[in-house]
Amino acid sequence: MSWIDEVKWDAQGLVPVIAQEAASNDVLMFAWMDREALLKTVESGRAVYFSRSRQKLWFKGEESGHVQLVHEVRLDCDNDVVLLKVTQQGHDPSIACHTGRHSCFFQLYRDGAWQSVEPVLKNPESIYSSANKP
Amino acid sequence: MSWIDEVKWDAQGLVPVIAQEAASNDVLMFAWMDREALLKTVESGRAVYFSRSRQKLWFKGEESGHVQLVHEVRLDCDNDVVLLKVTQQGHDPSIACHTGRHSCFFQLYRDGAWQSVEPVLKNPESIYSSANKP
């Protein structure tokens, strides 16, 4: 059986994907892949996800320039979750989140509320301006 | 609005959850929570998931003794994914995976195949023997 057929896709043909920064081990973001996205990720060495809201392939960084260079693709014990080890490119310090933050996981539970605990490194409006489009 | 109501549950009333080891930043496992599981996690300081296969709350470590002490609960930018920072208890070196490995993400893509690259630290049969049940 081919490696791609060993992946257990859900009812929508997707698997959850965790993107982890290789150098820091920080969890940067969470997204989804379909079969084509995973194939393209492995072939290109760049993270390609499946956008559920837009229902199409999402080449990470296609608008923002925040491309993810993929060092490792891992699969969990149940064959239904993927972990990528990446270098987050396009800005220093690295930005993975569309809000302009390093990581999407910037809301910390504290005293009965979610508190934003990570700084915005770049204005999201300038991230998605036409100047950054490839 | 209460913090718990800010979480965007999916059609099944669940959110994906990533468990990351606080000391090493290693991604240990991926699971799901419903509203009750997240409330119990925050209240108890121990990871409580929702088992989709058993359709009930899953107190991590209830059979294995591999309890997860929760240091941080984080929410992503879209309010629909949770990240836990945990100390994985019950064995040294730590075991989060039911296969007896440190992490569930032990299958690495290499040369067209998934290769197991992490050692089994404890025989799964002994992890789930009656001796380990609380």
Side-chain angles (χ1 to χ4, degrees), chain A residues 1-8 15 38 42 71-85, chain B residues 27-28 97-99 101-120:
Chain A
M1 191 191 290
S2 168
W3 66 275
I4 192 81
D5 294 321
E6 293 183 50
V7 178
K8 290 186 187 159
V15 284
L38 182 52
V42 166
H71 301 286
E72 287 188 5
V73 179
R74 287 177 177 243
L75 189 63
D76 81 334
C77 51
D78 295 324
N79 288 14
D80 62 2
V81 185
V82 168
L83 174 70
L84 302 181
K85 299 256 192 165
Chain B
V27 174
L28 297 177
C97 184
H98 76 287
T99 66
R101 293 178 175 88
H102 172 59
S103 162
C104 294
F105 295 92
F106 59 85
Q107 301 185 98
L108 175 67
Y109 173 85
R110 194 185 285 160
D111 300 331
W114 299 107
Q115 305 193 357
S116 289
V117 294
E118 307 286 348
V120 174

Side-chain angles (χ1 to χ4, degrees), chain B residues 76-92:
Chain B
D76 82 334
C77 50
D78 294 325
N79 289 12
D80 62 1
V81 185
V82 168
L83 174 70
L84 302 181
K85 299 256 192 163
V86 306
T87 295
Q88 178 63 61
Q89 300 184 311
H91 193 271
D92 186 16

